[in-house]
């Protein structure tokens, strides 16, 4: 007998067997949708007792139509694509997976950084074209030891990354107005202002969550502060980086190179995406398809936690990871 309706707004996993294994024993029917933009989600999941959300945007207008919903469980860490205030007003619990992909994103960011600093893609292309000269690269290769590595945001991923960077001898600095200098110092990281970070860093890594305050935190004014021998890495939400300003800086060779896990338009959340972003035309800007979080282990763990949060709420318990 079906007691609960649980809708998965959208998913890019091969199946939803993990979620069904956890939720069907409590009498839940688990229904997988492919509504990744979030449009018409209210109509498709009108009788939902719970929604598990991946990329679909769920604004106030949608939430107000979910009259039976008791919980919306995010598959990831960030809740910027969900109107949390509207959920609270309607008594809908919001959960996330706060420990999700901490190693994966930190390791991806480090891989990006090292790839850029050692100039691997450019040299690879040159060798395939028949040139075997280290002098082909126009900028001197920087040494890791002693280089300044700037972390925008000092949450769990940045903390993980800072610990790993120390092995290579980087001097790590961070800008985060919500974290004390004393706490950063326990990781061997110096707290600096946003301006100082952009002015002094060899590598700048955008790791902050996406909010009104962090929209284009790497924007025209801050990118203009960057050193001509510096690099920009982005493994956070695409809209934290002004893609037009970055394009101009890279095209004019005002910074050396950049590597991003997501462009500003965030293709994973759009239908019929086409690569029209001007950054894709540059030979000094590199991309991965929003894959920084992806390993078999991280994906399985995330799905388990999201489904367990739903299970707890629907059976009258407290969720493991409520968003406060």
């Amino acid at each position: 007998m079906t007691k609960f309706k649980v809708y998965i707004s959208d998913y890019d996993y091969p199946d939803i067997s993990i979620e069904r294994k956890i939720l069907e024993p409590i009498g839940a029917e688990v229904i997988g949708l492919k509504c990744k933009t979030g449009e018409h989600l209210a109509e498709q999941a009108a009788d939902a007792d719970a929604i598990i959300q991946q990329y679909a945007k769920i604004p106030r207008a949608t939430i107000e139509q979910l009259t039976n919903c008791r919980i919306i469980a995010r598959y990831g860490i960030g809740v910027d694509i969900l109107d949390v205030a509207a959920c609270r007003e309607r008594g809908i619990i919001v959960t996330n997976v706060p420990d999700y992909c901490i190693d994966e994103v930190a390791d991806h960011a480090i891989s990006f950084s090292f790839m850029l600093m050692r100039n691997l893609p450019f040299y690879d292309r040159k060798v395939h074209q028949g040139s075997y000269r280290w002098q082909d690269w126009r900028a001197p290769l920087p040494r890791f030891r002693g280089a300044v590595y700037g972390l925008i945001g000092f949450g769990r991923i940045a903390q993980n990354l800072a610990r790993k960077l120390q092995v290579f001898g980087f001097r790590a600095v961070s800008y985060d107005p919500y974290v004390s200098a004393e706490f950063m110092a326990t990781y061997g990281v110096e707290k600096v202002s946003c301006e100082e970070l952009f002015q002094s860093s060899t590598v700048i890594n955008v790791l902050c969550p996406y909010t009104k305050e962090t929209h284009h935190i790497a924007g025209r004014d801050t990118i203009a502060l960057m050193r001509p021998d510096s690099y920009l890495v982005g493994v956070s939400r695409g809209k934290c980086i002004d893609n037009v300003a970055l394009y101009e800086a890279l095209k004019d060779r005002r910074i050396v190179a950049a590597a991003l896990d997501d462009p500003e338009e965030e293709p994973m959340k759009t239908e019929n995406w086409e690569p029209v972003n001007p950054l894709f035309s540059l030979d000094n800007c590199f991309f991965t398809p929003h894959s920084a979080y992806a390993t078999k282990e991280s994906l399985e763990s995330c799905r388990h936690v999201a489904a367990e949060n739903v299970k707890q709420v629907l059976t009258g318990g407290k969720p493991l990871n409520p968003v406060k």
Side-chain angles (χ1 to χ4, degrees), residues 211-271:
T211 65
K212 291 180 180 178
E213 290 74 23
T214 62
H215 177 78
H216 287 183
I217 192 167
R220 192 170 302 278
D221 292 341
T222 48
I223 290 174
L225 299 174
M226 292 176 66
R227 295 162 33 172
D229 62 345
S230 63
Y231 308 83
L232 181 67
V233 171
V235 290
S236 186
R237 292 284 192 256
K239 291 181 175 63
C240 291
I241 298 174
D242 183 338
N243 283 193
V244 173
L246 178 59
Y247 169 77
E248 293 172 354
L250 291 169
K251 178 175 64 69
D252 297 339
R253 307 297 181 182
R254 287 186 276 116
I255 65 174
V256 181
L260 309 178
D261 190 46
D262 215 4
E264 191 168 351
E265 67 270 24
E266 298 182 336
M268 298 297 285
K269 301 171 189 173
T270 62
E271 298 284 0

Side-chain angles (χ1 to χ4, degrees), residues 11-324:
Y11 62 98
D12 53 11
Y13 315 123
D15 57 50
I16 51 175
S17 59
I18 290 175
E19 294 81 357
R20 284 178 169 151
K21 184 177 181 180
I22 292 170
L23 293 168
E24 285 180 350
I26 66 167
E29 179 184 2
V30 183
I31 303 159
L33 304 176
K34 291 293 185 180
C35 187
K36 74 176 186 177
T37 66
E39 295 182 20
H40 308 298
L41 178 61
E43 293 91 332
Q44 295 180 56
D47 58 346
D49 295 288
I51 292 177
I52 303 178
Q53 174 196 28
Q54 189 175 31
Y55 300 122
K57 293 181 180 179
I58 305 182
R60 177 178 293 272
T62 298
I63 292 163
E64 289 175 347
Q65 297 179 66
L66 300 174
T67 55
N68 297 328
C69 190
R70 295 164 59 184
I71 175 174
I72 297 178
R74 277 281 291 124
Y75 269 131
I77 299 173
V79 291
D80 55 288
I81 57 173
L82 173 63
D83 192 327
V84 177
C87 288
R88 290 190 180 124
E89 290 172 15
R90 299 191 67 84
I92 298 173
I93 293 170
V94 175
T95 64
N96 67 348
V97 188
D99 298 320
Y100 178 44
C101 64
I102 290 174
D103 271 314
E104 283 78 6
V105 177
D107 294 347
H108 198 89
I110 291 172
S111 300
F112 263 165
S113 306
F114 290 5
M115 175 196 76
L116 293 176
M117 293 179 73
R118 294 305 303 167
N119 194 32
L120 302 183
F122 180 86
Y123 279 143
D124 177 72
R125 287 198 301 268
K126 282 294 185 181
V127 171
H128 279 84
Q129 292 166 5
S131 179
Y132 215 80
R133 290 166 32 85
W134 66 264
Q135 297 93 338
D136 283 335
W137 185 232
R138 60 187 171 273
L141 298 180
R143 173 180 282 175
F144 292 0
R145 178 163 43 87
V148 178
Y149 198 106
L151 304 163
I152 300 179
F154 201 67
R156 296 183 184 187
I157 292 171
Q159 293 160 23
N160 184 299
L161 196 153
R163 175 175 54 82
K164 294 171 178 177
L165 282 176
Q166 291 180 358
V167 177
F168 295 90
F170 285 92
R171 176 190 159 214
V173 301
S174 179
Y175 166 69
D176 191 324
Y178 302 102
V179 179
S180 70
E182 290 75 14
F183 181 78
M184 289 185 187
T186 65
Y187 286 87
V189 176
E190 178 186 355
K191 179 169 182 169
V192 296
S193 68
C194 186
E195 292 77 12
E196 184 178 350
L197 184 146
F198 274 91
Q199 289 171 338
S200 65
S201 301
T202 300
V203 179
I204 295 171
N205 197 329
V206 181
L207 294 154
C208 53
Y210 180 67
T211 65
K212 291 180 180 178
E213 290 74 23
T214 62
H215 177 78
H216 287 183
I217 192 167
R220 192 170 302 278
D221 292 341
T222 48
I223 290 174
L225 299 174
M226 292 176 66
R227 295 162 33 172
D229 62 345
S230 63
Y231 308 83
L232 181 67
V233 171
V235 290
S236 186
R237 292 284 192 256
K239 291 181 175 63
C240 291
I241 298 174
D242 183 338
N243 283 193
V244 173
L246 178 59
Y247 169 77
E248 293 172 354
L250 291 169
K251 178 175 64 69
D252 297 339
R253 307 297 181 182
R254 287 186 276 116
I255 65 174
V256 181
L260 309 178
D261 190 46
D262 215 4
E264 191 168 351
E265 67 270 24
E266 298 182 336
M268 298 297 285
K269 301 171 189 173
T270 62
E271 298 284 0
N272 305 314
W273 173 78
E274 295 183 1
V276 296
N277 189 315
L279 288 173
F280 292 108
S281 68
L282 300 176
D283 66 357
N284 57 344
C285 192
F286 306 93
F287 285 91
T288 48
H290 195 55
S291 60
Y293 64 91
T295 61
K296 177 178 182 291
E297 293 82 0
S298 71
L299 294 174
E300 289 182 354
S301 174
C302 175
R303 294 169 64 189
H304 272 100
V305 172
E308 287 288 351
N309 278 323
V310 170
K311 177 182 177 181
Q312 286 295 110
V313 170
L314 294 185
T315 55
K318 294 183 178 180
L320 306 174
N321 308 111
V323 173
K324 298 177 180 179

